[in-house]
């Protein structure tokens, strides 16, 4: 099971390496050649003993135009020490493998994305001895996939969308669409993606909503995370948990919930009706829209 958001952001590329080159082509519009083969390499760049240097993910991409090293770094916050370590990574890897290295930074923070996208220039002004220009994937350029059909067409990209946009008012629609799309792929891959998304959601409300959505997916119960969800379900009851999720979605989306609406939702024990209300809560602009056509 993935242990942290940092781990999850680069483990997804080890699960689906082609997603990385698709992100370069579709999100950043970088004309990276279509890979014929992608292989994971050792991420340890330590030369002797004193200083440990390790990249998050290192992939070798074989293309018709040559061999490239894709160096993936997950970056949670601004860290000016990277001005030294990133140039080191690229120089060392080029010397070791004699392949062109490409630095790709993944982040969930817009501020960190802006910082990471600035070129690192080493040398004196006007004459750079070395320039590093990271390619950055973050919430400002990864597409928001909040449509179920769009998520079904490209599930790995929908996963990346959830991992980089899993907070704020758009998150409920993104997570709902992804939950539906996961039903369309093979159970083993879907269960892995469930873990990735759960690990990277830092917002407690988003994480709780994701786990409640996943209770409806049978293969989710194969994984250790399911035991925690199962225990919570035994304590609350399915109807009570679903009602609480509906109200949480509305409040999270800053939709005002009148007392009569709250009482009606909390008093409902019909799981099918609660499920219908939950789907409407993702898009409703007023709380009374839950009861449309009723």
């Amino acid at each position: 099971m993935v242990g942290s958001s940092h781990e999850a952001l680069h483990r997804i590329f080890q699960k689906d390496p082609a997603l990385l080159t698709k992100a370069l082509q579709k999100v950043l519009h970088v004309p990276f050649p279509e890979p014929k083969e992608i292989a994971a390499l050792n991420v340890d760049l330590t030369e002797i003993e004193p200083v440990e240097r390790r990249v998050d993910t290192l992939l070798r991409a074989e293309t018709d135009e040559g061999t490239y090293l894709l160096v993936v770094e997950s970056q949670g916050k601004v860290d000016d020490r990277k001005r030294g370590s990133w140039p080191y990574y690229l120089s060392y890897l080029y010397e070791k493998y004699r392949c062109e290295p490409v630095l790709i930074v993944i982040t969930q923070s817009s501020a960190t994305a802006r910082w990471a996208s600035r070129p690192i220039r080493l040398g004196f002004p006007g004459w750079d001895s070395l320039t590093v220009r990271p390619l950055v994937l973050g919430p400002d350029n990864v597409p928001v996939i909040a449509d179920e059909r769009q998520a079904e067409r490209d599930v790995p990209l929908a996963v990346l969308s959830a991992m980089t946009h899993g907070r704020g008012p758009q998150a409920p629609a993104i997570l709902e669409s992804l939950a539906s799309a996961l039903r369309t792929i093979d159970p083993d891959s879907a269960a892995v993606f469930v873990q990735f998304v759960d690990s990277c959601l830092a917002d407690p409300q988003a994480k709780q909503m994701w786990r409640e959505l996943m209770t409806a997916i049978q293969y989710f119960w194969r994984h250790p995370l399911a035991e925690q969800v199962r225990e919570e379900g035994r304590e609350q009851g399915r109807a009570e948990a679903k009602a609480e999720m509906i109200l949480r979605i509305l409040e999270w989306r800053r939709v005002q919930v009148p007392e009569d609406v709250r009482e009606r939702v909390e008093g409902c024990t019909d799981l099918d009706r609660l499920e219908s209300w939950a789907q409407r809560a993702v898009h409703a602009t007023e709380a009374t829209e839950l009861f449309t056509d009723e």
Side-chain angles (χ1 to χ4, degrees):
M1 176 175 151
V2 180
S4 69
S5 59
H6 179 276
E7 182 80 359
L9 277 171
H10 67 83
R11 280 283 300 280
I12 188 174
F13 295 118
Q14 296 173 358
K15 169 64 182 175
D16 187 354
L19 174 59
L20 191 55
T21 54
K22 285 195 295 183
L24 294 181
Q25 296 164 352
K26 296 182 179 181
V27 177
L28 298 180
H29 305 293
V30 173
F32 191 85
E34 197 67 33
K36 297 183 294 184
E37 180 182 349
I38 299 181
L41 301 178
N42 189 345
V43 298
D44 192 349
L45 308 186
T46 307
E47 292 186 74
I48 310 182
E49 291 183 25
V51 180
E52 180 183 2
R53 298 183 184 274
R54 183 182 296 270
V55 297
D56 291 333
T57 293
L58 180 60
L59 303 171
R60 182 175 57 211
E62 304 283 352
T63 76
D64 289 332
E65 299 178 21
T67 302
Y68 295 90
L69 298 177
L70 304 179
V71 185
V72 185
E73 281 282 278
S74 301
Q75 195 66 29
K77 60 183 180 180
V78 173
D79 183 357
D80 286 329
R81 291 176 300 177
K82 296 297 185 179
R83 288 183 56 83
S85 59
W86 285 345
Y88 169 85
Y89 294 166
L90 301 182
S91 299
Y92 176 84
L93 289 167
Y94 178 77
E95 177 63 23
K96 180 175 181 179
Y97 293 102
R98 290 295 172 174
C99 300
E100 298 293 341
V102 179
L103 175 61
I104 303 161
V105 179
I106 315 292
T107 182
Q108 296 173 300
S109 163
S110 295
T112 302
R114 289 191 295 271
W115 163 80
S117 64
R118 294 200 299 264
I120 300 172
R121 305 183 189 279
L122 304 181
F124 66 87
W127 195 278
D128 302 331
S129 298
L130 176 64
T131 302
V132 175
R133 299 176 59 196
L135 295 168
V136 182
L137 291 168
D140 293 331
N141 56 16
V142 173
V144 173
I145 299 181
D147 176 76
E148 183 178 326
R149 291 184 179 179
Q150 187 180 4
E152 290 176 0
R153 285 196 297 269
D154 197 335
V155 174
L157 191 58
V159 172
L160 185 59
S161 176
M163 295 171 75
T164 53
H165 296 281
R167 62 180 67 184
Q170 292 178 307
I174 294 171
L175 297 178
E176 180 84 20
S177 298
L178 177 58
S180 298
L182 288 176
R183 304 172 192 268
T184 66
I185 65 175
D186 71 275
D188 289 334
S189 295
V192 172
F193 287 146
V194 166
Q195 301 299 305
F196 287 150
V197 174
D198 184 88
S199 297
C200 81
L201 290 173
D203 186 312
Q205 291 180 311
K207 186 182 288 286
Q208 182 63 25
M209 177 188 174
W210 179 244
R211 291 183 175 186
E212 289 167 345
L213 287 170
M214 290 300 97
T215 60
I217 300 181
Q218 185 177 0
Y219 49 75
F220 178 59
W221 302 112
R222 302 180 185 182
H223 291 266
L225 179 64
E227 181 57 36
Q228 181 177 347
V229 178
R230 221 176 359 239
E231 184 62 30
E232 293 170 358
R234 283 194 290 264
E235 292 175 358
Q236 291 183 308
R238 293 181 64 192
E240 182 182 347
K242 182 72 72 174
E244 183 180 344
M245 182 187 73
I246 292 168
L247 296 173
R248 187 182 298 116
I249 291 172
L250 291 174
E251 292 168 358
W252 187 23
R253 297 185 60 242
R254 300 182 178 87
V255 176
Q256 187 175 2
V257 182
E259 190 59 33
D260 60 329
V261 173
R262 182 180 300 275
E263 290 177 357
R264 183 172 176 180
V265 171
E266 291 177 339
C268 182
T269 58
D270 186 327
L271 288 174
D272 291 337
R273 178 169 294 179
L274 286 167
E275 176 61 29
S276 176
W277 291 350
Q279 294 175 6
R280 294 173 186 171
V282 174
H283 305 287
T285 57
E286 295 183 5
T288 54
E289 292 178 18
L290 296 181
F291 316 129
T292 302
D293 300 331
E294 294 186 10

